[in-house]
Amino acid sequence: MNGQPLKPWLAPLALIGLLAVMGFVLPAYHHNNMARILVLAVFAMGYNIAFGYTGLLSLGHALFFGAGLYAAGLAINQGGVTAGLALGLGLLAGGGVALATGVLALRTAGVSFMIVTLMFAQAGYLLLLYFGAFTGGDEGFVVARTGRVLGGFDLTTDGPRYGLALGLFTLAILGQTAIVRAPFGRVMVAMRENSARAQMLGFDPFRTKLIVLVISGLYSGVAGAAYGILFGYVGASFAAIQYSILPLLWVLLGGSGTVLGPFLGVFIMFYLIDLSSSYTSAHLMVVGVALLVLVLFAPRGILGGLRKRWGTWLA
Amino acid sequence: MAFGPFLLLALMEGLVTAAVLALTALGLSLVFGVMRVVNVAHGAFFMLGAVGAWFVTEWVGNPPALGFALALVICPLAVGAIAALANGLVLKRLNYDPEATIVATIGLLYIFQQMALTLYGPDARPVPAPFSFRVQLPWFGYSGYKLAVIGAAAVVLAGVWLVLNRSKIGLVMRATQIDREMAQAFGINVDRVYAGVFAMGAGLAAVAAVLIVPIQQAHYLMGGDPLLLSFIVVIIGGLGSLRGTLVAALLIGLSDGVISVFFSPTLAKIIATLLVALVLVFRPQGLFGRQVTR
Amino acid sequence: MAGIGLLETQGLTRHFGGLRAVEAVDFTLNTGQIHALIGPNGAGKTTFVGLLCGRVPVQAGTIHFDGQDITHMPAHLRVRAGIAYTFQITSIFRGLSVFDNVALAAQRPSRHDLGAATKHILHQVGLESQINQQADTLSYGHQRLLEIAMGLALRPRLLILDEPTQGLSNAEITGFKALVRAVVPQTTVLLIEHNMDVVMDLADQITVLNMGQTLATGTPATIQANAAVQSAYLGG
């Protein structure tokens, strides 16, 4: 927009550089964790585009993540496709399901929108269980090793796995920056702030929000596909309500409507749960407490709060 | 078994589901109707009631009827108190903002669930029924306790109806529902009404849970289904409408019973969730509601 | 009737429950003029313009804009057809900068000189020095000007201004009048206004609404001389 056109790119580029260096120095355990965090951050960015920038408070994003996960997993195991094609299919599955969901759900707003997306996601989860013979039901299935090779690299090994995760993350965060810095990003924020007013500037709220939801679905879908391919397991629990709540939590924690917030939220939450699970089996308590603390005391999240205090260069 | 008796069995099972569901959904409906709060932790209150019933009956031991009777009194009161506390500590501070309260009650849901996991453990445990006799029908025998559940739910529902329509408490609640500021101006303590309504909603879920737990067993994750089904009932029945809630509970309970027996419980839930989403999209006042309550 | 009608309504009606907010209004807006809409509080002025710009659904009657029937057209398409509405209650995007507020209005259809166009409009209304300020930090009068700038940035053929001078200082009102004079005749202006000095000063035509119905239409001179208007509104 106005100001130096390069400034908004500095923080994401610096983060990408740091993550690339970490790929060479991290010990194996954290190497694997970081790869998971990067893929989940792509999912979180998808959620951020819908919720953080456009104000679409969805409780059904597990549906889009699950669509990508199962599209990729089933295509590899049943159709024998390659990892690259499976990623593409996951991307399209996420976008397609988001389109179908949005056409109906975007006729509602606010609390109704939350419940409608929740119900669609729940129906999707139950469908996975219902067609258990095909989807593996509750137990899920292990992704065939033949589909976990990309361009000759074995994605079950640390280096290539981290590499693909970082590559996707890079595309996602640069894409997110480009979208929100474009004129369309301004319209997204206008929809969040006051969609009736935005309509009186000639923007179609339904169409704008539908486009946003589809972009969000593409992000979620490709994240789901990558998660299945990189970590080798596809299961219905990834399509359950918890995977709709988590992206909301990540984005709230890191700072909604900020470029780096989704990554930061996933990073902190992942290690919080990881740490607490070594002390107690009730490690999801962290999720509940974090949600309450955020909504009560820090609705802007970490980066949102910092940005308010120290200006816009951070986020 | 022949088709006729089989259908009868399915309908009776459905009626038990409907009775318990009506109680649970009524609690959710009251909270939404008066406070405009969508309480996602409602299923967790249900679970706390069931887990509490296990603790009470375990503590009393014999006779099981005494423990059960005590649980039926203690659990709703205790769960109601927890709810009132949560209302004061969390919801009130959010000024009952609709979207923030949903996020907050999701947080409460996780906290209650994980607390139950810590204190009660991951196992499903049975609670003994207060009595056990079978009603012998020409085609099959049927649990007398299940019939008693239907009766007890009907009694509680009638009681709630009386409180809402024939008592001063009900009048105060309706006044608050219609116009919060006006009620305040007339000297109604709105904070206390909200705390009371939230406690009452949670207490109803706990009553339902105590009634069903001898049939179902107590488990820390058992809150999901009642939450989902209550949502469905409240939305299809029209938000905040008592009669709509009852009709919808009957409809959903019976069809859930029939579809579950003849097809699969999962299919029944798929149909119900999609129905809810479509009702909200195309008929937001509910199938039986008249007013548009947006 | 003289002139060419840019916008015409026939039998335009909107009730809210038992309240006849707008009742069978026939109305013609001439191209290139400044047309004022006056009437006592509750006369239906805001509902009437709400019907014109699509914020309020039409119950009965028709609206034609530039010969096209827009009675049931969604609001955003009317804006694209050239009808801009500035809100009575200031409705800027409070969390965005002054620049972003105006750029939002100016960016559709997409243009490559967006920055320059936005700055030009801000210069027109006299807000260029506040360009990077967050909108909710502006003074009330400046927020009203920003609202008008957003209307202008849409490059409308019809600009509907709902009580634009409410809360402005005398100096700001003088500036506002010059601003409006400068946009006609390229833009036709429909002005809801309580300040009679502004109305008499600016308007080519005046329509008086009362209880949802048209009481009179005419030039400022004929309206001032109209006995029915005087007893109903001007206080005789």
Side-chain angles (χ1 to χ4, degrees):
Chain A
M1 295 186 211
N2 54 336
Q4 307 101 308
L6 277 179
K7 205 171 68 170
W9 300 91
L10 293 181
L13 287 172
L15 177 64
I16 292 163
L18 178 69
L19 289 167
V21 172
M22 281 169 72
F24 293 100
V25 297
L26 280 175
Y29 175 70
H30 294 286
H31 206 271
N32 189 343
N33 280 353
M34 260 337 264
R36 279 180 203 271
I37 288 170
L38 289 176
V39 174
L40 293 176
V42 174
F43 182 26
M45 278 187 257
Y47 192 82
N48 189 37
I49 288 170
F51 167 65
Y53 286 103
T54 319
L56 294 172
L57 217 174
S58 148
L59 290 182
H61 263 59
L63 183 62
F64 313 148
F65 187 77
L69 180 75
Y70 274 87
L74 290 173
I76 288 171
N77 280 27
Q78 315 274 343
V81 307
T82 60
L85 187 55
L87 275 177
L89 286 173
L91 179 84
L92 293 180
V97 173
L99 177 68
T101 307
V103 164
L104 290 169
L106 287 170
R107 291 157 169 265
T108 65
V111 168
S112 291
F113 180 77
M114 296 168 85
I115 298 176
V116 169
T117 48
L118 180 72
M119 290 297 162
F120 276 133
Q122 189 65 20
Y125 168 68
L126 292 168
L127 277 172
L128 288 177
L129 299 186
Y130 187 68
F131 292 106
F134 187 59
T135 63
D138 246 340
E139 276 148 36
F141 57 87
V142 173
V143 178
R145 285 191 75 102
T146 51
R148 301 180 64 192
V149 178
L150 188 67
F153 289 104
D154 182 358
L155 297 174
T156 62
T157 55
D158 281 350
R161 179 162 56 201
Y162 191 89
L164 181 62
L166 181 60
L168 269 182
F169 177 82
T170 301
L171 289 177
I173 197 166
L174 295 181
Q176 181 189 238
T177 310
I179 291 166
V180 304
R181 293 288 148 185
F184 185 71
R186 200 183 279 126
V187 181
M188 285 161 57
V189 175
M191 288 296 160
R192 177 187 76 195
E193 299 275 310
N194 186 345
S195 80
R197 183 68 179 97
Q199 187 177 20
M200 295 313 296
L201 295 179
F203 301 107
D204 183 346
F206 181 80
R207 192 164 162 271
T208 308
K209 290 175 184 174
L210 191 59
I211 292 171
V212 166
L213 206 60
V214 170
I215 296 174
S216 183
L218 292 170
Y219 269 72
S220 309
V222 80
Y227 206 82
I229 293 167
L230 290 181
F231 305 106
Y233 170 69
V234 170
S237 60
F238 291 112
I241 168 96
Q242 188 170 326
Y243 274 80
S244 293
I245 306 298
L246 282 174
L248 170 65
L249 177 58
W250 294 327
V251 169
L252 278 177
L253 178 64
S256 71
T258 64
V259 169
L260 303 186
F263 168 78
L264 192 65
V266 175
F267 180 83
I268 295 173
M269 212 57 225
F270 190 96
Y271 274 102
L272 267 182
I273 292 180
D274 189 57
L275 270 178
S276 59
S277 55
S278 54
Y279 295 103
T280 167
S281 59
H283 54 268
L284 289 178
M285 182 71 93
V286 180
V287 172
V289 172
L291 275 175
L292 272 194
V293 168
L294 281 169
V295 81
L296 278 173
F297 303 112
R300 272 180 223 281
I302 295 169
L303 278 186
L306 288 181
R307 179 165 65 168
K308 192 78 186 160
R309 206 162 298 168
W310 290 324
T312 56
W313 65 271
L314 253 176
Chain B
M1 213 184 306
F3 176 76
F6 202 42
L7 181 65
L8 179 66
L9 178 66
L11 286 175
M12 287 173 78
E13 289 290 301
L15 209 55
V16 177
T17 309
V20 176
L21 186 54
L23 284 179
T24 318
L26 183 59
L28 194 68
S29 175
L30 271 180
V31 167
F32 183 82
V34 178
M35 305 166 69
R36 298 276 132 185
V37 165
V38 176
N39 179 19
V40 184
H42 197 63
F45 289 132
F46 182 95
M47 177 274 294
L48 288 180
V51 167
W54 182 86
F55 276 110
V56 173
T57 51
E58 193 71 0
W59 170 63
V60 172
N62 276 316
L66 177 66
F68 185 82
L70 270 177
L72 204 47
V73 176
I74 293 174
C75 293
L77 290 177
V79 170
I82 294 172
L85 192 70
N87 170 67
L89 288 179
V90 180
L91 302 185
K92 198 179 149 203
R93 285 169 189 240
L94 295 172
N95 283 320
Y96 301 99
D97 173 81
E99 292 179 351
T101 47
I102 293 188
V103 177
T105 52
I106 293 172
L108 288 173
L109 158 71
Y110 274 104
I111 290 175
F112 292 145
Q113 196 186 77
Q114 300 294 311
M115 260 163 51
L117 174 62
T118 311
L119 300 174
Y120 172 83
D123 304 322
R125 296 177 217 187
V127 168
F131 49 80
S132 56
F133 61 89
R134 291 184 82 72
V135 178
Q136 196 54 49
L137 297 175
W139 315 277
F140 54 83
Y142 198 71
S143 154
Y145 178 72
K146 285 187 179 177
L147 295 177
V149 167
I150 299 173
V155 170
V156 175
L157 287 171
V160 172
W161 187 86
L162 278 177
V163 168
L164 290 182
N165 290 292
R166 293 281 183 274
S167 78
K168 191 161 169 261
I169 299 173
L171 187 67
V172 166
M173 276 167 59
R174 266 176 290 143
T176 311
Q177 171 171 7
I178 292 163
D179 191 333
R180 186 177 164 185
E181 272 82 42
M182 192 64 98
Q184 209 142 23
F186 276 99
I188 292 174
N189 185 339
V190 170
D191 284 346
R192 233 169 63 194
V193 174
Y194 276 24
V197 167
F198 202 63
M200 188 168 161
L204 279 169
V207 171
V210 176
L211 287 176
I212 202 70
V213 76
I215 305 169
Q216 242 189 18
Q217 301 199 336
H219 184 250
Y220 82 104
L221 288 176
M222 73 190 296
D225 279 358
L227 174 69
L228 184 66
L229 287 173
S230 317
F231 256 120
I232 291 166
V233 164
V234 169
I235 287 161
I236 288 179
L239 292 161
S241 144
L242 179 58
R243 193 188 305 153
T245 302
L246 292 185
V247 174
L250 214 57
L251 182 80
I252 295 295
L254 288 178
S255 52
D256 187 69
V258 171
I259 299 175
S260 298
V261 167
F262 285 96
F263 301 97
S264 100
T266 312
L267 184 65
K269 288 202 192 72
I270 293 172
I271 292 171
T273 42
L274 287 177
L275 184 63
V276 160
L278 296 178
V279 164
L280 268 179
V281 169
F282 294 108
R283 205 182 143 79
Q285 70 272 37
L287 287 183
F288 305 108
R290 290 212 186 102
Q291 274 178 301
V292 179
T293 49
R294 281 251 213 196
Chain C
M1 187 159 289
I4 317 127
L6 177 65
L7 179 134
E8 276 178 55
T9 74
Q10 267 158 12
L12 199 60
T13 298
R14 175 72 205 193
H15 297 175
F16 295 110
L19 176 74
R20 299 172 167 204
V22 172
E23 175 73 23
V25 171
D26 299 332
F27 177 82
T28 302
L29 195 58
N30 296 331
T31 307
Q33 290 195 334
I34 300 174
H35 195 131
L37 197 58
I38 64 171
N41 280 325
K45 303 183 298 282
T46 293
T47 306
F48 179 69
V49 295
L51 293 166
L52 297 188
C53 67
R55 298 182 68 220
V56 182
V58 172
Q59 205 162 351
T62 58
I63 309 169
H64 283 83
F65 180 70
D66 199 21
Q68 190 189 0
D69 185 347
I70 60 160
T71 312
H72 299 292
M73 190 185 261
H76 57 270
L77 294 184
R78 297 190 202 199
V79 176
R80 292 182 198 183
I83 302 178
Y85 175 75
T86 71
F87 284 67
Q88 178 181 8
I89 298 155
T90 307
S91 181
I92 52 177
F93 296 99
R94 310 184 64 83
L96 298 186
S97 70
V98 169
F99 176 90
D100 280 339
N101 268 277
V102 176
L104 258 174
Q107 74 183 41
R108 193 208 48 76
S110 66
R111 48 199 294 175
H112 54 277
D113 59 341
L114 182 61
T118 302
K119 279 171 195 151
H120 174 72
I121 291 157
L122 284 170
H123 175 76
Q124 243 183 306
V125 300
L127 283 177
E128 70 271 44
S129 58
Q130 280 96 338
I131 189 163
N132 288 320
Q133 232 171 294
Q134 192 167 308
D136 60 358
T137 63
L138 292 179
S139 71
Y140 180 77
H142 284 166
Q143 291 189 12
R144 303 283 324 170
L145 289 177
L146 179 57
E147 179 84 42
I148 293 165
M150 290 163 79
L152 290 175
L154 289 167
R155 287 158 288 165
R157 299 170 62 198
L158 167 60
L159 178 61
I160 301 174
L161 299 164
D162 197 347
E163 307 224 2
T165 66
Q166 202 181 40
L168 293 193
S169 69
N170 283 334
E172 284 169 333
I173 288 177
T174 309
F176 165 77
K177 286 196 286 199
L179 194 63
V180 173
R181 280 205 193 91
V183 301
V184 285
Q186 292 83 4
T187 304
T188 306
V189 175
L190 177 61
L191 177 72
I192 296 183
E193 188 54 68
H194 272 302
N195 184 331
M196 278 307 129
D197 293 338
V198 174
V199 170
M200 295 304 164
D201 213 10
L202 282 178
D204 301 307
Q205 288 278 314
I206 298 177
T207 292
V208 187
L209 276 187
N210 192 30
M211 316 273 283
Q213 290 178 299
T214 324
L215 199 61
T217 296
T219 62
T222 54
I223 291 297
Q224 268 176 320
N226 186 314
V229 175
Q230 284 181 2
S231 66
Y233 182 56
L234 296 173

